[in-house]
Amino acid sequence: MDRLFAVLDAVNAVMLGMPTLLCLLGVGLVFTVWSGFGQRRALTHGVQLLRGKVPGVSDGGDGALSHFQALSAALSATVGLGNIGGVAIAVSVGGPGAVFWMWMVGLVGMALKTTEVTLSMLYRDVSDPDNPHGGTMWVCKRGLAELSPKLARLGLVAGALFAVALILFGITGGNMFQAWNASEIARAYFGVPTWLSGLVMAVLVAAVILGGIRRIGSIAGVLVPLMCGIYVIAALYVLFVNAERIPDTFAMIFRCAFSPAEAGGAFVGASMGTAFIFGMKRALFSSESGIGSAPIAHSAVRTREPVTEGVVAGLEPFIDTLVVCTMTALVILITGVWNRGAIVQWDAPPALVEVGEQQWAPSSYTLPSTAHPGLIAGDQVFIVTESDDATRGKLFGNVVGEGAGRSIQWRPLTAVEPPRVIEAGVFADYPGSTLTAKAFDSARPGLGQWMVTLAVWAFAISTMITWSYYGEQGVIYLAGNGWVVPYRLLWCVLIFVTCLGYIRTDIEVDTISTVALGFMLAINLPVMLLLGSRAMHAYHDYFRRRRSG
């Protein structure tokens, strides 16, 4: 498994490296200016469309969902564990500065989302008016052929490649990331075996996805607003309790966005580049801006005007990143769990010994009888190490045994020279959403245990439901309707398989959940630039007609 993750890390370093993320920002800025700062229209006209207050365009036309249902279905994929577990990963690895770069993706993401959804609405397949199909694959197939007949074959190939990347990201990010986080938080707080959580989630998801997009839209229209409201209210409570720390927290976010974040406690430090990459990557994962997935749900909307759904879609990154992600980040930073102290103190750190070729681990370590009673068999812990070049890292292990016989079974660290153990003890590992839950708990005991656990499960199930539909559209594009049922069954089986213990840390779940993102960006961003003039022409024409009455 370690070799597999090394390969995936190498792929991510290329496909989601600094050049790709800078291109994303650049394209977002282009469409921000081209649309006349369309973010403001999403916040004004988009809200009117959701309320059904725009005569002549708020009803009628081909499609299966209302504007509100389509936005809710898309939000059920974006407002999910990316907002809870993803933000926690961004902060724990990239530091406070990662939050600033998440905001940047949220702002330009509003323009990106408006453009890609407008394109999808212009080129969607409405041969079945009650079950339309859309997304980047259809934009590639129809839009490039319309641009030039010579590009028709390229459009077919690009559409097929995008569909493959879409299915892969659905399986890893829309399925495995969600299932792993939900099962991990249930294990951490309630001792529920992860396989049992996986089985329950698989059954719940299967009960919904067999009903198709109408059932998905109906459930998302109720579940998403409810869980968002509860989560934001709880976050506001934590911020109110710690109100005096808010100014310093914002100052720290801006400072660490442009300078290295200092190591301390459980946080091993982060360069400006790390903050940029993890902030951008996790916000991209969360908001899905520019990757071409959300247009699939929006393409099922019922409307006479294609541009209207593009305007509504601009609200997605605002709600997802600028509101919900910000709440999570502030709670984690203000409560201090991101750079928490050790859970078990020691007088002298253990020496690392070579347990294999260039494999280093503590010789042995039995937990003292006075060690935190909450540490039970199966819990993951880590110690902080430092190499000769002053680079810090984490060496993980798992608690085994019970009571006074508890000890730690370490997973060796690979290094040419033995690293040094620093910091004064053993740290409890809070991967992904568990870190967020612990932050809520620190403000009011039990708040994270119950509210965040319920939110994580609701977010995870809603995201898996919607992403199953996204991946299904890729299957339909590639192989037709005959493969839909086998795909749905495979989807549910993978939920269960993910919870069997193959993924162990937040770094591993970050790696596996973002590996297909770069391929989706590599196809969608050039297509947006090639066909952007058509989307912007339709966009400005719609508002010109609105102004003229």
Side-chain angles (χ1 to χ4, degrees), residues 137-356:
M137 51 274 196
W138 293 97
V139 175
C140 291
K141 180 179 180 180
R142 295 182 168 187
L144 293 181
E146 181 184 281
L147 191 64
S148 170
K150 295 180 180 179
L151 296 176
R153 186 179 296 276
L154 176 63
L156 288 172
V157 173
L161 291 175
F162 181 85
V164 171
L166 175 73
I167 295 168
L168 289 176
F169 182 68
I171 290 172
T172 56
N175 183 321
M176 299 173 73
F177 178 86
Q178 316 299 324
W180 181 84
N181 267 283
S183 64
E184 176 59 30
I185 197 171
R187 184 208 62 79
Y189 273 118
F190 303 104
V192 178
T194 55
W195 69 264
L196 182 58
S197 294
L199 181 62
V200 172
M201 285 186 284
V203 171
L204 291 175
V205 170
V208 177
I209 66 176
L210 295 177
I213 187 58
R214 288 183 183 274
R215 185 180 295 176
I216 292 171
S218 298
I219 291 177
V222 175
L223 188 60
V224 171
L226 178 63
M227 65 189 186
C228 279
I230 293 173
Y231 186 78
V232 169
I233 290 171
L236 288 172
Y237 166 77
V238 176
L239 297 182
F240 176 77
V241 171
N242 297 277
E244 72 282 357
R245 301 178 186 174
I246 292 178
D248 289 341
T249 301
F250 274 99
M252 180 171 58
I253 289 171
F254 285 101
R255 183 176 66 253
C256 293
F258 301 99
S259 62
E262 184 179 353
F267 180 62
V268 298
S271 65
M272 175 186 164
T274 302
F276 175 82
I277 289 174
F278 273 87
M280 292 275 289
K281 188 166 63 171
R282 296 321 305 181
L284 180 62
F285 176 93
S286 178
S287 70
E288 300 176 18
S289 297
I291 69 173
S293 55
I296 296 171
H298 287 288
S299 294
V301 77
R302 183 173 58 254
T303 182
R304 296 188 180 94
E305 292 279 1
V307 172
T308 58
E309 192 58 20
V311 176
V312 169
L315 287 167
E316 255 186 78
F318 177 82
I319 297 170
D320 175 272
T321 306
L322 298 178
V323 176
V324 184
C325 283
T326 298
M327 292 293 181
T328 300
L330 290 176
V331 167
I332 292 172
L333 292 171
I334 281 177
T335 56
V337 297
W338 65 288
N339 60 352
R340 61 196 176 278
I343 197 170
V344 178
Q345 300 285 338
W346 51 40
D347 296 327
L352 299 185
V353 297
E354 193 168 14
V355 297

Side-chain angles (χ1 to χ4, degrees), residues 10-83:
V11 173
N12 279 339
V14 175
M15 299 305 297
L16 283 176
M18 192 77 75
T20 302
L21 297 176
L22 287 173
C23 285
L24 176 72
L25 276 180
V27 174
L29 288 172
V30 166
F31 285 110
T32 294
V33 176
W34 203 345
S35 65
F37 294 89
Q39 289 90 335
R40 59 188 174 85
R41 285 182 170 139
L43 296 171
T44 53
H45 191 62
V47 173
Q48 291 179 318
L49 288 165
L50 285 178
R51 297 174 60 200
K53 301 296 184 181
V54 183
V57 299
S58 293
D59 54 6
D62 296 328
L65 305 178
S66 68
H67 284 299
F68 181 77
Q69 287 177 324
L71 179 63
S72 296
L75 279 172
S76 70
T78 57
V79 179
L81 287 181
N83 303 83

